Amino acid sequence: MSPAAPLGGAGRDTGRELNFTASSAALRPDSVIATACQFCNSNCRLHVGLRAGRIISVQGEPADPVQAGNICVKARMMPELVYNPLRLTTPLRRVGGAKGAADSRFEPVSWDEALDIVATRLLALRDNGEARAIANRTTGRLPRGVGSLVARLFALLGSPNNTDVGPVCNDAGGDALRATFGLGAFTNGYGTDPATRREDLGSATYLLFLGTNQAETHPVTFDYLLRSRAKTRAKLVVVDPRKTPTGAEADEWIAPKPHTDFALVLGMLYHVIDSGLYDRDFVRRWVLGFDQLREHLVEHGYTPEWAARMADVPAAVIRRVAEEYARAERAAIFCNAGISHQLGAFDTYRTLAFLAAVTGNVGKPGGGCNFMHNTWPGDLALPPLAPRTPPRDQALPVGPDYFAESILSGRPYRIKALLTQGNPLISSANSAKVKDAFSLLEFYVYTGLYMEEAAYYADIILPVCSGLEMDGVYMRRDDRAIRWQEQVVPRVGQSRPDWEIWIDLAHALARNDERKPASYWAAAFPPAWRDYRTLWAQFVAHTPGMGGMTAERLAERAEPLRWPCPDAKHPGVSTLYLDHPSWYAATKSLGAEGKRFLTPSGKVELFTADLDRRLAGAGHRALPSYFTHPEVTGDNPTIAYGDEFVTNPINPQATTHPVQLGVPRPGDDPHREFPLMGMTGRPSVAHFATITHWTPTGKQLTGIRLVQIHPDTAARYGIADLDPIVVESPRGSIAGTASLWADIRRDTIFVPNTFGPMQQLGDQFGDPRYAPANTLVDDRYYDNLSGQQAYKCFACRVRKS
């Protein structure tokens, strides 16, 4: 990408990058290594040039027709993770200072000493009958399959509390897709389907984006959609309370109230069915529960006029978009965190799946429900454990944010030891509460690249590698596609990749366990698995639908390879549920021979009595009823949580709080004191979670927290562009800088997240050390099925500081 190109993508750059390196003795690489970017789910292949062992160039993959040689600004930030003086390079042990204090003191220790300390603390809890008090929280930065190693170790320990990143990221979409179609995965693929030789998502004639800013979150795959759209003339409609760079590319931008997409989609669905715009043949052959859905929509009065009152979008717009979507030859829905981070995320995604199903836009190229960040490959299988594992209690409510509540209140029991592979002090809702909890946590292990906020609470700190320092499969593309990456440079200091850390911890447990033989641990974690190719071969051999995804096959490809891919001759599946032999070969490998949809009935399941009964135990039903966050302005049906714990029907290994839906707002209207609605989200295309705040480029480009406010709203509070401001909610306050932006709702402000007070790289630019944006968010309100936190609406006010 040329320096003059837009940061969000390539392909439309009219400039030409001057390049006189080809004949330069100093700047001509002596080796080029194929790897992959770790910074988003576009999963771009990178060709990294080395000269005398030093990285001197990063280029894209021109032979991949989706990537088309493109990379975004983040790809060239990858070496900044390697060549960074702030990297953690050795294990550390706490020797002084209060937990969380900036003057916390740590001393270097060996890996064996650090892991022995961790092992003895975990074993002491197990031996005291408190295995359930041990918890782990993974993160999206982990190489694929690490979560399976963690789950294996926790099964041997007897703890149920191993959670993934999904409730902070995007679990709800996968949960809803699984309940409706049978698989919790992005339904369609980017590029040409090699089985049919037909273009898949590039052939869409209608693109409906809700709560997704792909220009900044998935720039390279979004650029592919734009290139395809130039050929198909597909209409792009973007639904978002603010106009983002994605909305700027749209034919139409629709700005509902935050947290009301659920109502808008119900209104669309009502109109499609009421107007007879649904696909009668597809519904007759492949859909269960259509009649019950139609009656449900009528009974509740979910008309476009009703939706207009809830979402503050004209009914005529809702009807027109519904008609355009239903009449389009191939209509694709895309969603991301803007939907996932809502209180009704699971029910909203289910309703979107209904919309796709009744219009016949599932199981066809150019259509589908393309909900971002589904975590496959996540549950990669390993050989069954030989020893009998201890019985396990039920896990805490789904969602790692609940750990803080457990530590502080002891309900339903108290977490005493925690390991994390992320930074919950930034990512968790109600950050002040999380800090209080971590200060009381008895034993905490932090793994990471830098001394992030969470590290100051740790008892043991373990240094990990960046993506360029390891072989393997790191990120994945949203459409179930993965690619192999080669190690580019040696590991920094004594850092280790995450899979090695968990294997080595298992062997430390073997050394220190006085109740179980060493073989109990060591046999379950063979040292040979420290080589990722060997470990990957185990995943390929034991994971359904993965037999054709060997390291050798992945490494030789310019394009990524999609799951399911059951054998070496199978091309991988682009369009899930496509009525085609390649799909039925895949379903056979998944244990569902002959089925088109992988539900119990083999059809799309809108309503079944079994699903309805299971969801009812947690307060939901198979046919979703509208509710929203109590801090959305206006008179909306909302939610009340019970005090007791019940089995989570979507994640039955865990508990959850049952809810009552459709109730009036509890207590006083928060908008008397906090009249605005706030949303959090990514600062810009330059950032991916907190990690990019530790790169010079990330802090140079977006080191100031620019809070987007409509000019009319800013004028009401005497705020001018670039004024320092304070944003306050009932939970606390954070500082920022006003960015007057006419393309945002007047009742809404946008607060960039991922900033934190220990991000010292901004000091060179004079950037403030910001408190986390999630200080403003109420952790009490969460999707009790998926565990998603409601980052997309909180009552707030602004003032000039």
Side-chain angles (χ1 to χ4, degrees):
M1 189 182 75
S2 136
L7 293 180
R12 291 183 305 284
D13 180 16
T14 56
R16 184 172 63 88
E17 184 174 26
L18 298 176
N19 184 349
F20 295 105
T21 62
S23 300
S24 169
L27 294 177
R28 184 172 56 189
D30 48 48
S31 63
V32 177
I33 297 176
T35 183
C37 187
Q38 75 175 67
F39 283 135
C40 86
N41 289 0
S42 290
N43 195 20
C44 295
R45 195 181 202 202
L46 305 180
H47 293 285
V48 179
L50 298 171
R51 183 65 167 159
R54 181 78 53 80
I55 297 172
I56 62 170
S57 64
V58 178
Q59 303 293 330
E61 175 56 78
D64 179 347
V66 173
Q67 188 178 354
N70 291 331
I71 54 177
C72 82
V73 63
K74 291 189 291 295
R76 292 196 175 117
M77 294 161 66
M78 287 278 287
E80 296 181 27
L81 300 183
V82 179
Y83 304 128
N84 194 311
L86 299 178
R87 278 283 296 273
L88 290 166
T89 59
T90 184
L92 301 172
R93 174 179 61 188
R94 175 178 291 278
V95 294
K99 285 198 170 186
D103 62 355
S104 293
R105 299 189 307 281
F106 300 89
E107 67 176 12
V109 292
S110 70
W111 270 101
D112 280 352
E113 185 176 1
L115 293 175
D116 282 341
I117 292 171
V118 177
T120 55
R121 294 296 294 266
L122 302 187
L123 290 169
L125 284 168
R126 183 205 65 181
D127 294 346
N128 197 38
E130 294 188 283
R132 69 181 185 179
I134 303 166
N136 182 73
R137 169 177 164 166
T138 60
T139 178
R141 72 157 176 78
L142 292 180
R144 300 303 95 196
V146 173
S148 302
L149 294 170
V150 180
R152 195 173 181 85
L153 189 143
F154 267 61
L156 291 169
L157 269 176
S159 171
N161 286 309
N162 169 36
T163 71
D164 67 19
V165 71
V168 168
C169 195
N170 282 274
D171 261 5
D175 290 339
L177 291 173
R178 188 177 302 107
T180 312
F181 303 136
L183 283 178
F186 206 89
T187 60
N188 290 66
Y190 298 106
T192 302
D193 182 343
T196 64
R197 303 193 182 280
R198 296 170 61 189
E199 191 75 13
D200 193 348
L201 285 172
S203 69
T205 57
Y206 199 86
L207 300 164
L208 179 60
F209 282 32
L210 299 99
T212 177
N213 177 18
Q214 288 190 48
E216 294 191 294
T217 62
H218 298 71
V220 172
T221 49
F222 182 60
D223 190 72
Y224 156 77
L225 291 176
L226 295 181
R227 297 195 312 269
S228 301
R229 175 178 168 234
K231 302 173 185 175
T232 62
R233 303 197 179 279
K235 183 170 184 178
L236 171 59
V237 176
V238 172
V239 180
D240 197 309
R242 65 188 181 110
K243 183 184 281 189
T244 62
T246 306
E249 296 286 349
D251 297 288
E252 184 171 7
W253 167 50
I254 299 170
K257 280 186 183 183
H259 247 79
T260 62
D261 302 79
F262 189 4
L264 187 147
V265 179
L266 282 167
M268 290 178 61
L269 187 58
Y270 181 104
H271 186 64
V272 166
I273 295 175
D274 185 59
S275 302
L277 297 173
Y278 57 93
D279 186 328
R280 285 173 170 78
D281 182 61
F282 186 86
V283 166
R284 177 181 56 81
R285 297 178 61 200
W286 295 110
V287 176
L288 282 184
F290 177 80
D291 291 338
Q292 291 93 328
L293 172 63
R294 176 163 48 192
E295 293 168 6
H296 175 78
L297 295 169
V298 172
E299 178 186 347
H300 287 77
Y302 291 146
T303 64
E305 288 72 22
W306 166 85
R309 293 193 300 273
M310 296 295 106
D312 193 28
V313 172
V317 172
I318 297 171
R319 284 192 295 270
R320 177 173 50 74
V321 172
E323 292 169 9
E324 291 173 351
Y325 173 84
R327 288 172 173 152
E329 184 180 357
R330 295 176 297 277
I333 300 173
F334 289 83
C335 301
N336 200 348
I339 301 299
S340 298
H341 294 170
Q342 295 191 28
L343 191 56
F346 175 84
D347 288 326
T348 304
Y349 277 125
R350 276 271 287 168
T351 307
L352 284 162
F354 294 177
L355 183 64
V358 302
T359 55
N361 276 302
V362 63
K364 68 188 294 187
C369 296
N370 305 293
F371 303 158
M372 303 292 178
H373 292 297
N374 295 318
T375 53
W376 195 91
D379 293 330
L380 299 182
L382 290 166
L385 287 167
R388 178 179 297 177
T389 58
R392 288 187 283 180
D393 287 329
Q394 214 162 22
L396 293 173
V398 172
D401 300 81
Y402 198 84
F403 288 169
E405 179 64 29
S406 166
I407 294 164
L408 291 170
S409 73
R411 295 186 67 245
Y413 50 83
R414 180 168 280 112
I415 290 296
K416 296 184 177 180
L418 176 64
L419 302 86
T420 70
Q421 296 78 50
N423 187 3
L425 271 297
I426 299 297
S427 61
S428 296
N430 200 346
S431 304
K433 176 179 177 180
V434 177
K435 287 192 287 186
D436 290 343
F438 272 61
S439 67
L440 297 175
L441 186 57
E442 291 184 15
F443 184 67
Y444 174 46
V445 180
Y446 168 82
T447 67
L449 279 79
Y450 305 106
M451 284 293 295
E452 295 186 287
E453 290 73 16
Y456 289 87
Y457 292 82
D459 298 283
I460 295 292
I461 295 172
L462 303 176
V464 300
C465 297
S466 74
L468 297 183
E469 300 162 50
M470 63 180 78
D471 287 339
V473 177
Y474 200 112
M475 294 299 288
R476 74 282 176 201
R477 204 165 67 188
D478 286 300
D479 61 346
R480 300 161 273 108
I482 54 175
R483 59 170 94 239
W484 193 264
Q485 63 185 69
E486 301 290 341
Q487 182 174 344
V488 175
V489 290
R491 300 172 184 177
V492 170
Q494 297 179 43
S495 64
R496 293 182 181 178
D498 293 273
W499 70 85
E500 284 189 17
I501 293 174
W502 285 96
I503 293 169
D504 294 343
L505 176 58
H507 287 267
L509 288 160
R511 290 194 298 270
N512 291 278
D513 195 342
E514 297 179 355
R515 295 193 177 185
K516 298 285 187 182
S519 60
Y520 178 81
W521 300 98
F525 291 86
W529 287 2
R530 295 178 92 252
D531 175 76
Y532 192 86
R533 279 183 179 260
T534 302
L535 179 62
W536 187 258
Q538 292 293 319
F539 294 142
V540 170
H542 294 92
T543 305
M546 202 173 158
M549 305 184 83
T550 63
E552 294 73 22
R553 187 180 184 188
L554 292 170
E556 69 186 13
R557 294 172 60 91
E559 297 180 63
L561 184 62
R562 296 184 193 89
W563 178 89
C565 180
D567 57 61
K569 294 183 178 179
H570 196 283
V573 174
S574 183
T575 308
L576 296 183
Y577 319 115
L578 181 66
D579 194 5
H580 186 273
S582 65
W583 170 239
Y584 293 114
T587 63
K588 181 179 179 180
S589 73
L590 299 175
E593 185 173 3
K595 280 191 173 184
R596 182 174 182 184
F597 295 94
L598 274 64
T599 57
S601 66
K603 297 183 178 183
V604 178
E605 294 186 351
L606 311 184
F607 175 89
T608 67
D610 178 65
L611 179 61
D612 194 56
R613 176 188 54 78
R614 287 191 291 117
L615 293 178
H620 296 257
R621 306 305 293 259
L623 298 175
S625 297
Y626 179 69
F627 65 100
T628 190
H629 199 290
E631 295 185 7
V632 173
T633 58
D635 186 16
N636 305 286
T638 183
I639 188 170
Y641 293 81
D643 291 331
E644 68 272 29
F645 294 91
V646 299
T647 297
N648 187 320
I650 297 300
N651 297 281
Q653 80 286 356
T655 57
T656 191
H657 291 289
V659 297
Q660 185 179 356
L661 303 180
V663 299
R665 178 188 291 120
D668 294 334
D669 184 352
H671 295 103
R672 292 196 185 105
E673 293 186 54
F674 302 94
L676 300 174
M677 292 177 288
M679 305 164 49
T680 67
R682 190 176 299 196
S684 77
V685 68
H687 283 297
F688 180 74
T690 60
I691 191 66
T692 44
H693 286 277
W694 293 83
T695 66
T697 298
K699 277 301 187 190
Q700 175 192 338
L701 292 176
T702 323
I704 300 294
R705 180 152 59 200
L706 296 169
V707 178
Q708 293 177 14
I709 308 173
H710 193 280
D712 294 349
T713 306
R716 200 162 69 239
Y717 296 104
I719 294 171
D721 196 35
L722 301 183
D723 273 350
I725 60 171
V726 173
V727 182
E728 298 171 308
S729 84
R731 274 69 58 187
S733 65
I734 56 113
T737 297
S739 175
L740 271 57
W741 187 247
D743 291 326
I744 188 170
R745 289 178 57 94
R746 287 171 175 81
D747 56 7
T748 303
I749 66 169
F750 174 77
V751 183
N753 58 19
T754 69
F755 290 90
M758 297 302 175
Q759 294 167 359
Q760 57 185 285
L761 264 176
D763 295 352
Q764 64 181 305
F765 303 106
D767 297 345
R769 297 281 195 96
Y770 293 109
N774 287 334
T775 300
L776 305 169
V777 178
D778 195 335
D779 64 313
R780 294 176 301 168
Y781 296 106
Y782 73 105
D783 180 355
N784 72 321
L785 297 176
S786 68
Q788 299 278 189
Q789 292 289 309
Y791 301 109
K792 293 302 182 185
C793 190
F794 49 87
C796 63
R797 62 192 178 203
V798 295
R799 59 178 171 84
K800 189 173 177 179
S801 65

